[in-house]
Amino acid sequence: MEDKQLASAVQKIFLARTRRGRIFKATVFWITLFVMFVVPLGPLVLYYMWRHGNRIAMEDAADRIAPAEQTTAPEQEAAPPAGVAEQV
């Protein structure tokens, strides 16, 4: 009798006839979705970073340096030396 009860419980779980079955099916669905679509992207991202990572890092470093050079204080207009009169 216990075998039939166990088989019935397992069947209910896998057929989502109970709250536990619905949770189980939802969990299996999300894990499967993650494994099928997100995990395989890992090698592609690693390959992209391996091929283009140095160029991206160099561009990023250049972007950090360039604004620092551009933000230097603007040169003030040079005043004529003392004792020199303006000529009209």
Side-chain angles (χ1 to χ4, degrees), residues 12-84:
K12 286 180 182 178
I13 288 173
F14 286 113
L15 294 176
R17 293 182 180 168
T18 62
R19 181 174 184 271
R20 286 182 184 165
R22 287 188 296 273
I23 293 171
F24 176 76
K25 278 193 162 183
T27 304
V28 168
F29 171 77
W30 288 112
I31 289 172
T32 303
L33 190 74
F34 179 79
V35 169
M36 286 177 61
F37 294 109
V38 177
V39 171
L41 291 177
L44 296 175
V45 170
L46 290 174
Y47 174 75
Y48 178 82
M49 293 305 293
W50 174 67
R51 287 292 286 172
H52 305 290
N54 189 41
R55 182 178 50 87
I56 292 169
M58 296 297 275
E59 289 174 359
D60 193 32
D63 288 343
R64 287 188 197 145
I65 293 171
E69 292 173 354
Q70 293 173 356
T71 57
T72 56
E75 295 181 18
Q76 297 178 354
E77 293 181 22
V84 176

